[in-house]
């Protein structure tokens, strides 16, 4: 199974043994929203026109989660800016998590473990069943930082989501995350990708990262 941005971010945010999410709870919901929007843009399904997010293609993504949000954007009574869609999609964090872990379970990558709290409440955990896909992803991301490899569009998007969700230490290790902090920022701001699709996706990416940072900051101040 080819992992999309939502799959990849979810895998990296789960503790492999405990099966619980370790990402910052406040930023992760918006990070998942960002992953959904960026994946739709990578698949050339949406675009920004006059600051509004619009559906460019109605063709299926062959993914229930992505098709759900593509349809949500298409059926909206009025067009919305990226900030509005980040808040709308981020509000469905539980739905995104559940659909994504179900997909990863069906693919044999995760397993499901039910834990009882006070013998009454059920708390589901999703420990790793097949570690190979995530291990290969982590190794590849680490090599991108270490070996000055050329970064493609999806890799840049994923690295920016990891950074935004404060998962750098988890993904790269504490020492490497600190050592390559400036390099991570440079990759996120990469300007050496230049197809027409790339420019459209980068436009969404740049607005999206700024919007999510603002939303998280405001929530922190208000709380």
């Amino acid at each position: 199974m080819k992992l999309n941005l939502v799959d990849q971010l979810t895998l990296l945010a789960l503790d492999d043994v405990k099966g619980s999410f370790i990402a910052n709870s406040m930023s992760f919901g918006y990070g998942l929203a960002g992953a959904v929007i960026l994946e739709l843009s990578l698949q050339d399904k949406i675009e920004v026109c006059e600051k509004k997010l619009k559906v460019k293609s109605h063709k299926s993504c062959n993914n229930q989660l992505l098709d759900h949000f593509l349809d949500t954007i298409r059926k909206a009574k009025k067009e919305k800016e990226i900030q509005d869609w980040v808040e709308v999609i981020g509000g469905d964090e539980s739905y995104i998590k559940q659909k994504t872990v179900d997909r990863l379970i069906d693919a044999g990558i995760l397993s499901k473990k039910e834990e009882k709290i006070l013998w009454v409440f059920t708390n589901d955990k999703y420990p790793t069943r097949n570690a190979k896909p995530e291990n290969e992803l982590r190794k590849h991301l680490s090599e991108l930082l270490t070996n000055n490899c050329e970064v493609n569009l999806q890799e840049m998007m994923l690295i920016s989501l990891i950074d935004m969700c404060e998962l750098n230490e988890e993904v790269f290790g504490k020492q490497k995350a600190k050592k390559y902090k400036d390099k991570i920022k440079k990759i996120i701001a990469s300007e050496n990708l230049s197809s027409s699709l790339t420019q459209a996706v980068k436009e969404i990416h740049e607005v999206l990262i700024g919007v999510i940072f603002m939303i998280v900051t405001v929530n922190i101040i208000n709380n």
Side-chain angles (χ1 to χ4, degrees):
M1 181 183 79
K2 183 177 180 181
L3 301 178
N4 61 41
L5 280 176
V6 188
D7 299 327
Q8 292 174 335
L9 186 63
T10 300
L11 266 184
L12 295 171
L14 278 168
D15 184 290
D16 293 352
V17 177
K18 295 180 180 179
S20 54
F21 284 94
I22 55 177
N24 179 289
S25 58
M26 182 172 292
S27 61
F28 188 56
Y30 296 121
L32 287 173
V36 169
I37 293 171
L38 287 171
E39 184 62 37
L40 288 173
S41 65
L42 281 170
Q43 295 191 24
D44 208 17
K45 304 296 184 184
I46 57 175
E47 62 184 345
V48 174
C49 185
E50 297 180 352
K51 296 185 179 182
K52 304 291 187 180
L53 202 61
K54 296 186 177 183
V55 172
K56 185 177 180 181
S57 170
H58 294 175
K59 290 183 179 179
S60 173
C61 302
N62 296 316
N63 178 291
Q64 187 178 8
L65 174 69
L66 296 176
D67 283 342
H68 168 78
F69 286 113
L70 183 63
D71 200 44
T72 299
I73 296 170
R74 183 179 65 82
K75 290 181 177 178
K77 292 182 179 179
K78 65 177 183 177
E79 294 173 345
K80 298 181 176 68
E81 296 185 4
I82 290 180
Q83 176 176 343
D84 298 316
W85 281 118
V86 168
E87 293 178 332
V88 169
I89 297 173
D92 280 339
E93 177 183 355
S94 296
Y95 173 80
I96 300 172
K97 283 181 177 178
Q98 194 59 60
K99 286 295 182 183
T100 305
V101 296
D102 286 348
R103 171 175 153 88
L104 294 170
I105 288 170
D106 289 343
I109 297 173
L110 297 179
S111 58
K112 182 177 179 180
K113 180 181 178 183
E114 291 186 354
E115 291 186 353
K116 291 290 185 181
I117 301 175
L118 300 177
W119 298 280
V120 177
F121 304 103
T122 299
N123 184 23
D124 293 335
K125 304 289 185 180
Y126 306 99
T128 298
R129 181 177 179 183
N130 175 11
K132 185 177 178 180
E134 183 180 355
N135 288 343
E136 288 181 347
L137 177 61
R138 286 175 178 271
K139 181 181 177 182
H140 179 65
L141 290 171
S142 183
E143 287 174 348
L144 290 177
L145 296 184
T146 305
N147 300 326
N148 294 314
C149 300
E150 187 172 332
V151 179
N152 66 32
L153 192 57
Q154 183 168 358
E155 291 163 347
M156 187 262 278
M157 300 295 163
L158 180 58
I159 290 171
S160 70
L161 289 167
I162 291 168
D163 182 67
M164 188 187 64
C165 293
E166 301 177 8
L167 286 168
N168 285 334
E169 289 189 8
E170 166 62 24
V171 175
F172 303 115
K174 189 173 183 178
Q175 290 184 338
K176 188 170 286 188
K178 184 178 180 180
K179 180 179 179 181
Y180 292 110
K181 182 178 180 180
D182 291 339
K183 191 169 186 179
I184 291 170
K185 299 296 183 185
K186 186 177 180 181
I187 289 173
I188 294 170
S190 176
E191 296 291 344
N192 63 343
L193 304 162
S194 66
S195 69
S196 59
L197 173 59
T198 296
Q199 291 307 313
V201 176
K202 276 181 65 62
E203 179 183 0
I204 291 176
H205 171 260
E206 288 167 5
V207 174
L208 187 65
I209 297 304
V211 163
I212 293 176
F213 177 78
M214 180 188 68
I215 292 172
V216 172
T217 301
V218 169
N219 283 335
I220 290 173
I221 292 173
N222 291 338
N223 292 330

